């Protein structure tokens, strides 16, 4: 099992994730893709990574904007899994030309 991160650990790691913000026990980011199909491709890539990690984000799709929310529900807060998946999401968004909206 993965342990919950401390507040200090979360803040330090969010320093490497400028597109992400903390909302209590969740980290969130939204990205605007160049077009709808690119947004859907981003979701598909994230879904594949999430399935491999067995760690699934909440995803909201609004035309070209895709919002992600990460939390480890089984641990009741944020864990290293959330940070690792956030990095993967940000990298994939950048690769697809999707810009952070926050």
């Amino acid at each position: 099992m993965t342990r919950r991160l401390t507040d200090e650990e979360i803040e330090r790691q969010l320093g490497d994730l400028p597109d992400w913000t903390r909302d209590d026990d969740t980290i969130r980011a939204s990205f605007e893709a160049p077009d709808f199909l690119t947004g859907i491709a981003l979701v598909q890539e994230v879904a594949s990574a999430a399935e491999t990690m067995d760690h699934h984000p909440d995803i909201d799709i609004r035309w070209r904007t895709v919002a992600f929310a990460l939390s480890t529900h089984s641990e009741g807060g944020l864990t290293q899994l959330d940070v690792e998946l956030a990095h993967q999401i940000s990298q994939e968004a950048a690769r697809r030309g999707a810009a952070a909206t926050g």
Side-chain angles (χ1 to χ4, degrees):
M1 281 240 150
T2 302
R3 69 169 179 80
R4 281 182 69 163
L5 298 173
T6 66
D7 287 338
E8 181 180 296
E9 289 171 321
I10 294 165
E11 294 309 314
R12 186 179 72 247
Q13 294 204 50
L14 283 178
D16 294 332
L17 290 163
D19 300 332
W20 293 80
T21 58
R22 184 177 181 187
D23 178 14
D24 197 24
D25 288 334
T26 303
I27 55 175
R28 301 177 186 280
S30 295
F31 299 91
E32 186 172 313
D35 53 56
F36 180 72
L37 290 178
T38 301
I40 295 302
L42 172 60
V43 169
Q44 289 176 315
E45 188 65 32
V46 169
S48 179
E51 191 67 15
T52 298
M53 294 175 73
D54 192 28
H55 187 63
H56 305 92
D58 293 335
I59 302 172
D60 182 62
I61 305 166
R62 307 286 172 149
W63 186 37
R64 298 183 309 157
T65 301
V66 183
F68 298 92
L70 302 172
S71 184
T72 304
H73 302 292
S74 62
E75 294 301 314
L78 295 165
T79 68
Q80 195 62 38
L81 286 173
D82 301 304
V83 173
E84 290 172 15
L85 187 53
H87 277 289
Q88 289 186 42
I89 292 169
S90 290
Q91 291 168 359
E92 187 61 27
R95 190 177 79 76
R96 294 186 179 275
T101 63

